[in-house]
Amino acid sequence: MSAPRTQSPTPARTFAQRFSATRRGARLARLLAAHQLTEWGHPHGTEAHDTAVLVVAELASNAVLHSRVPGRDFTLSLSLDDSRGVVQIEVTDTHTAQPARLAPGPDEDGGRGLVLVDALAVSWGVSDRLGPGKTVWAECALPRVAHPGW
């Protein structure tokens, strides 16, 4: 006789999707991340939601603008960890160049994406992946949400 199966008190909440490495793909990644956060109980207009969505937008934009490999997509993964009160955001691309946090001058148009991520995220970094490329990840704080019936 096997032991009865028990369900974890906090179900795993993850989201992963591949997107074309285009501006349209980056926009869709941001929109779907916003929708997923709302589904997880962190609605549009709250500081936690808007911060996480901004980090997704920056990381997806970087994957499209600086790490695009023709014919290759990028992947967005979200993982909600209620026990730590964070959402882990991962953007994986196939470009081998490592991102660099720059200090652009006041008249420069770009180079502030990772400065924003550094300011908004609890932590962030870069990990190797199996195959070519890397994963840029960030953790953003989210308040714990009670989920009745879970």
Side-chain angles (χ1 to χ4, degrees):
M1 179 186 222
S2 63
R5 288 187 87 188
T6 58
Q7 189 172 9
S8 169
T10 305
R13 287 180 279 165
T14 61
F15 168 86
Q17 180 71 46
R18 284 177 44 183
F19 298 94
S20 63
T22 62
R23 289 175 189 240
R24 185 179 211 168
R27 179 177 181 271
L28 184 56
R30 178 182 53 82
L31 291 171
L32 289 178
H35 175 76
Q36 189 61 62
L37 288 164
T38 300
E39 289 293 309
W40 286 341
H42 302 282
H44 174 76
T46 61
E47 183 178 350
H49 174 279
D50 295 349
T51 296
V53 170
L54 181 55
V55 169
V56 167
E58 289 299 333
L59 297 181
S61 177
N62 283 351
V64 168
L65 295 175
H66 306 296
S67 299
R68 184 173 183 275
V69 175
R72 300 285 177 98
D73 298 335
F74 74 93
T75 301
L76 168 68
S77 300
L78 304 175
S79 232
L80 186 61
D81 185 341
D82 274 332
S83 66
R84 293 181 47 230
V86 297
V87 61
Q88 171 104 16
I89 300 161
E90 296 181 346
V91 174
T92 302
D93 62 61
T94 56
H95 200 282
T96 56
Q98 296 293 305
R101 189 173 152 246
L102 305 174
D107 296 333
E108 292 183 55
D109 288 337
R112 291 173 181 79
L114 289 179
V115 173
L116 280 172
V117 170
D118 190 50
L120 296 172
V122 173
S123 61
W124 72 276
V126 182
S127 303
D128 291 331
R129 66 178 289 249
L130 187 58
K134 78 264 180 203
T135 298
V136 182
W137 59 268
E139 290 184 337
C140 292
L142 292 178
R144 289 174 175 81
V145 175
H147 299 282
W150 281 18

